[in-house]
Amino acid sequence: MEKDFVYADASATTPVSQEVLQAMLPYLIESFGNASSIYQMGRKNESAILNARTTIAQCLGANPKEIFFTSGGSESDNWAIKGTTDILKSQGKKHIITTAMEHHAVLNTCQFLEKQGFKVTYLPVSSNGIIDPLDVKKAIREDTALVSVMYVNNEIGTIQPISEIGTICHEHGILFHTDAVQAVGNVEIDVQKQNIDLLSISGHKFHAPKGIGVLYIQNGVNISPLIHGGGQEMGKRAGTENVAGIVGISKALEIAVRDISKKVETLTPLRNQLIDGLLQIEGTHLNGDRIQRICGNVNISIEGIEGESLILMLDMQGIQASSGSACSAGSLEPSHVLTAIGLGRESAHSSLRMTFDKNFHEKDVAYILETVPKVVSQLRSMSPLWNAKKGGLQ
Amino acid sequence: MNYSAKVLEHFVNPRNSGEIENPDAFGESGSEKCGDITKIYLTIQDGIISEAKFQTFGCCAAIAVSSVTTELLQGKTIEQAMLLTESDIVQALDGLPPEKMHCPPIAEEAVKSALLNYQQKQKKLL
């Protein structure tokens, strides 16, 4: 099939891959049974789930009993934070450490818990978009229950020093959760080596379908259920298992982990080419560290133009990307990530995020680099900010 | 975000974007909250707006709003232009999504400020 557009929003979501779809199909039609049923079809599905759990555990360096299926990244984050703090609050531990640039699934959960009487420290972020592990150490208190720091930032793609943070947490006997939704297939995950107690992942970010995720919970970590009901997932997460989704996320994770080095090798030069090309446009700068970022993320601010306008103009030219502009999110506030790394409102409104994975090629880079400057000059021609700036320079 | 065909059409082909050198009237307005800025330039002959231009930093809706506003202003007398409201602008665009309803007031304010600027200039001449 001929592709007639450039998809540069892989951090938003990815298509289900053929291999994943083929693995899932039997469980949607022929073998549709409830995995809790004791007849053959049920048992077959139960063992498919067990196989998936084993594969996923191997990919993460975990034990199959530590893998729990959820509906996605948001549920995993909610469950990890609400479930563990629910137990720890009875021991007087009512303090959480997180960062100012987390995904809203973490931030809004922490804000919810603040209303329940928890205290939350939101760690600052350096201008290159990286958390300093020393800040985590300094923020630890007597009553700290949990530290939650994302592995890879979803907007600027920066990779956080989670191994160091995990070590610090364990030295102080504090639980460590990481939202690794954007990390899968980009960086190595090994929950043992990296001292991770809880880890969230989401299938649709790496070619499994939407609506399936995983929460890794280290053996021995006490957690309350978020969803009560039947005894599925060892009594910790009720609801009839999404067998096809579970088989799909297992297959997708296996492929993503297998292909990490190939992906990094192929995409890093394309990313650098894209960054260098876009920075040729006058009045642009890169957001987030240039080196310590995943291979499929470019985020730049383009002075004088507003993100939503840029995204819609690019869409009309067949390029699908995103922005940290408030308008593109339908709110008035610009991206909390970009403001956390010190961008002014204007610069945050002017951001362009391009994220891509294995379906991205050199010709896509060429097309983007040909199209973006045209669209930028078109929008700048009607921008009072750009004209004022240019007037000032003359 | 569901924009009307008219909004998208104005966004892609904005009318009257740019500035007028030595305009008879100039006004600007912006929103602290969303960061949008709009400037309106007018040429006025015998009390009638013969030319209207805009510059806008903002989203698709803000650009479409400015574009249609300059169209609405062309050929109007100062008095008629004073009566231009945000609902006229919204109507001319076949509606706007609820989260974009803060855009038309910015354009309306820029127009009012341009007309005030014109009246002040006229007083000085007298």
Side-chain angles (χ1 to χ4, degrees), chain A residues 306 308-309 345 349 382 387, chain B residues 3 33-34 56 58-60:
Chain A
E306 192 280 326
E308 192 213 53
S309 297
R345 296 175 68 88
H349 277 303
M382 52 183 148
N387 284 295
Chain B
Y3 286 125
K33 265 189 168 175
C34 71
T56 290
C59 61
C60 163

Side-chain angles (χ1 to χ4, degrees), chain A residues 3 8 17 30 99 106 131 167 183 200 254 264 304 308 312:
Chain A
K3 189 169 69 166
S17 73
E30 299 142 40
T99 81
V106 168
I131 297 294
T167 307
S200 309
E254 197 183 347
V264 171
E308 192 213 53
L312 288 174

Side-chain angles (χ1 to χ4, degrees), chain A residues 304-306 308-309 312-313 316 327 330 332 345-346 349-350 378-379 381-385 387-388, chain B residues 1 3 8 11-12 14 17 32-34 37 39 54-61 63 99-100 102:
Chain A
I305 56 177
E306 192 280 326
E308 192 213 53
S309 297
L312 288 174
M313 282 281 185
M316 286 165 193
C327 295
L332 290 177
R345 296 175 68 88
E346 200 184 299
H349 277 303
S350 306
Q378 191 184 346
L379 285 168
S381 72
M382 52 183 148
S383 164
L385 289 177
N387 284 295
Chain B
M1 201 77 67
Y3 286 125
L8 289 172
F11 172 64
V12 182
S17 79
E32 270 285 305
K33 265 189 168 175
C34 71
I37 296 172
K39 295 186 178 185
F54 80 91
Q55 287 178 321
T56 290
F57 169 82
C59 61
C60 163
I63 290 172
E99 53 270 64
K100 296 294 178 181
H102 66 282

Side-chain angles (χ1 to χ4, degrees), chain A residues 306-327:
Chain A
E306 192 280 326
E308 192 213 53
S309 297
L310 180 62
I311 297 310
L312 288 174
M313 282 281 185
L314 288 176
D315 184 26
M316 286 165 193
Q317 303 296 322
I319 297 171
Q320 294 166 337
S322 76
S323 171
S325 150
C327 295

